[in-house]
Amino acid sequence: MGMPKETAVYTHGHHESVLRSHTWRTAANSAAYLLDSLKPHMRILDIGCGPGTITADLAELVPDGQVIGVDRAQGVLEQARATAAARGITNIDFAVADVHALDYPDDTFCVVHAHQVLQHVGDPVQALREMHRVTRPGGFIAVRDADYAAMTWYPASKGLDDWLDLYRRVARANGGEPDAGRRLRSWALAAGLADIRATSSTWTFTTPQERAWWSALWADRTLASAYADRVAEGGHATAEQLAAASEAWREWGRRTDGWFAVLHGEILCRKAD
């Protein structure tokens, strides 16, 4: 019997409005819980690397090691390669892979990292088993995921309430779990992992520039990305309801007292020697 393969549909796709967010991510703002564990010689696998900005940061932090970024989408890997080339990073490579069935031998990597991945996969427990399998004894499995139900904002907005309800329904219909952050430790235990350090951290958007950027990318994503296609295909909302959700984002972004926080769960698991 072969390894299970991905069954979930990636909710966001790779529209410009999605990559606008993904290319903002850095090791500092998205993987701080891992950084103290890195050593210059380490070999790292970065799963779901997308456009490669975190991957490139990790490669710079292990100058005597190697980083491989993998993603299911071949197209976005071209952008990841361009990111690395523009920064002159040479200890990095990229490949297509499915986290449920990684094409690497046991005990290959010092660190296996996944940021905003397990919320989108069909079997996060199997994904963690595979991540553990390819990690060397004494190495680390590092995972960070947002928790949509824990997102919070000010001022109150019925439109954003409706957006959040719709997003969570669509993500689950696609086979994912949008409230992944709170589940990471539970999934790790189910996968047989031990020595689990569970933490949390946030992204917070409140300055005029942050509000404008965060609200615009979600307003655009709601109407123009693969997410909008998933909504229409599943009959989850009308075009008018999507337009209302997009406008709710823009309205929030115009509020001088606006504040938005994204809670993330994190786990750092050390594989037994």
Side-chain angles (χ1 to χ4, degrees):
M1 182 184 296
M3 275 287 191
K5 298 289 186 181
E6 179 59 270
T7 56
V9 175
Y10 180 43
T11 297
H12 297 294
H14 295 94
H15 184 264
E16 181 277 330
S17 60
V18 178
L19 294 179
R20 205 183 311 165
S21 169
H22 290 185
T23 54
W24 165 82
R25 298 172 184 173
T26 65
N29 69 29
S30 300
Y33 70 103
L34 166 64
L35 302 188
D36 285 348
S37 300
L38 298 183
K39 301 291 186 279
H41 68 277
M42 283 182 159
R43 189 177 191 201
I44 299 175
L45 180 66
D46 186 25
I47 293 172
C49 67
T53 51
I54 298 174
T55 324
D57 284 353
L58 293 174
E60 289 182 333
L61 292 168
V62 293
D64 302 323
Q66 181 191 24
V67 177
I68 299 177
V70 297
D71 202 284
R72 289 182 63 212
Q74 174 67 56
V76 79
L77 293 179
E78 294 307 313
Q79 184 169 346
R81 292 185 180 100
T83 297
R87 291 170 58 172
I89 300 170
T90 58
N91 62 327
I92 196 168
D93 200 0
F94 296 95
V96 175
D98 180 351
V99 67
H100 296 84
L102 295 168
D103 191 22
Y104 298 100
D106 295 359
D107 306 338
T108 299
F109 298 96
C110 306
V111 175
V112 179
H113 169 263
H115 183 262
Q116 311 288 38
V117 172
L118 294 193
Q119 63 186 279
H120 297 297
V121 306
D123 190 344
V125 173
Q126 170 60 22
L128 283 163
R129 289 193 188 106
E130 273 293 273
M131 293 172 70
H132 181 268
R133 179 184 66 78
V134 301
T135 302
R136 292 175 179 171
F140 296 94
I141 300 96
V143 179
R144 184 176 190 254
D145 267 278
D147 193 297
Y148 275 75
M151 289 185 183
T152 188
W153 56 83
Y154 184 87
S157 167
K158 175 63 164 55
L160 289 185
D161 289 343
D162 291 343
W163 160 79
L164 182 57
D165 174 72
L166 175 62
Y167 178 86
R168 291 171 74 224
R169 286 190 284 112
V170 173
R172 288 193 171 121
N174 287 341
E177 175 45 72
D179 305 340
R182 70 189 66 189
R183 291 170 163 81
L184 295 182
R185 184 173 180 276
S186 173
W187 287 340
L189 289 169
L193 277 60
D195 196 1
I196 303 166
R197 180 172 179 262
T199 55
S200 65
S201 61
T202 60
W203 292 335
T204 305
F205 305 99
T206 186
T207 69
Q209 296 79 11
E210 289 166 347
R211 291 196 317 273
W213 178 78
W214 186 244
S215 62
L217 72 86
W218 270 107
D220 293 344
R221 188 183 301 192
T222 298
L223 292 180
S225 71
Y227 168 72
D229 298 334
R230 314 285 188 233
V231 171
E233 291 162 4
H236 299 289
T238 65
E240 292 75 17
Q241 287 169 320
L242 277 180
S246 178
E247 178 53 33
W249 272 110
R250 296 194 185 280
E251 182 179 343
W252 172 82
R254 291 190 289 267
R255 291 290 300 246
T256 58
D257 58 350
W259 179 93
F260 199 106
V262 181
L263 178 72
H264 295 82
E266 303 155 346
I267 53 170
L268 187 64
C269 310
R270 185 177 180 278
K271 185 171 179 176
D273 292 316

